Amino acid sequence: MAATSVSNARANRRVGLIAALAAIAMIGVAYASVPLYRLFCQVTGWGGTTQRAVEAPPPVPGKSISVRFDSNTSGGLPWLFRPEKTAVTVPIGGKQLAFYKAVNQSAASVTGTAVFNVSPDEAGKYFMKIECFCFTEQTLKPGESVDMPVTFYIDPAILDDPVARRISEITLSYTFYPVDRSADSGRDAKTSTKG
């Protein structure tokens, strides 16, 4: 009888340890999933994620595509944000420069960060950004107005993709969100009191 209760106790401890390890593993996967998904999207262009590039190739003669520009702001961001032009026709492979305008309509400095997407999704891996305001946070003073550039090109490899080569229009869409500085200041205050 005593041997049975000892073996049951061991089995219960083993099951408890396995359950605890599984819970820890699930928490780890949950925290790692966002950065891993972002990395996957950047590498593959999945979900319309654009690619970063250093330099544009020469344009492909006689091949062009229409690029439409879209802009949005989160409800908590007091900015007016819009593209300078709503659409342009660009040569495939040629470097292009487009501008968005942002105006802080509040009486305080506000920092925002932009997320972006390209549609249709199949075009994401061929939409190459060289420089973009979306790579860093943007701070606008009260009433400040700025022109925000994005330098890009459409990779000529789009012409070799049986699905993507049929695309005649690509939409580049940005949404600006406010950056929550209160979380950072709370963290900084805790760090300085410990140090």
Side-chain angles (χ1 to χ4, degrees):
M1 198 81 133
T4 306
S5 67
V6 169
S7 69
N8 283 344
R10 283 186 186 153
N12 288 343
R13 273 196 300 266
R14 197 168 111 226
V15 168
L17 181 61
I18 290 171
L21 289 174
I24 291 168
M26 285 190 282
I27 290 169
V29 168
Y31 277 104
S33 63
V34 172
L36 289 174
Y37 179 73
R38 185 178 299 130
L39 178 64
F40 172 77
C41 290
Q42 288 172 346
V43 169
T44 63
W46 181 264
T49 303
T50 63
Q51 307 297 298
R52 287 183 77 166
V54 177
E55 192 175 312
V60 177
K63 298 292 183 180
S64 62
I65 195 163
S66 176
V67 177
R68 199 174 74 75
F69 302 102
D70 179 52
S71 61
N72 304 283
T73 56
S74 158
L77 189 69
W79 288 7
L80 174 65
F81 175 60
R82 66 178 187 277
E84 184 180 90
K85 294 181 179 180
T86 56
V88 294
T89 299
V90 301
I92 292 177
K95 183 165 75 169
Q96 300 297 308
L97 178 63
F99 287 94
Y100 281 74
K101 182 180 235 25
V103 180
N104 181 356
Q105 298 179 313
S106 76
S109 290
V110 178
T111 301
T113 186
V115 296
F116 54 87
N117 194 309
V118 169
S119 60
D121 290 349
E122 297 81 14
K125 64 182 169 183
Y126 303 109
F127 197 100
M128 311 298 278
K129 289 184 185 177
I130 298 170
E131 289 293 330
C132 182
F133 59 87
C134 61
F135 295 160
T136 58
E137 293 177 352
Q138 304 294 322
T139 300
L140 274 63
K141 295 176 185 164
E144 183 179 10
S145 172
V146 295
D147 289 326
M148 298 180 171
V150 56
T151 305
F152 67 94
Y153 70 92
I154 309 302
D155 189 337
I158 196 170
L159 299 171
D160 300 326
D161 185 317
V163 174
R165 71 176 168 217
R166 296 187 197 126
I167 297 170
S168 61
E169 181 179 84
I170 296 173
T171 300
L172 174 61
S173 181
Y174 289 99
T175 301
F176 254 105
Y177 292 92
V179 173
D180 183 9
R181 294 288 184 208
S182 62
D184 291 340
S185 4
R187 214 173 312 145
D188 292 343
K190 287 178 187 173
T191 306
S192 64
T193 56
K194 288 181 181 176

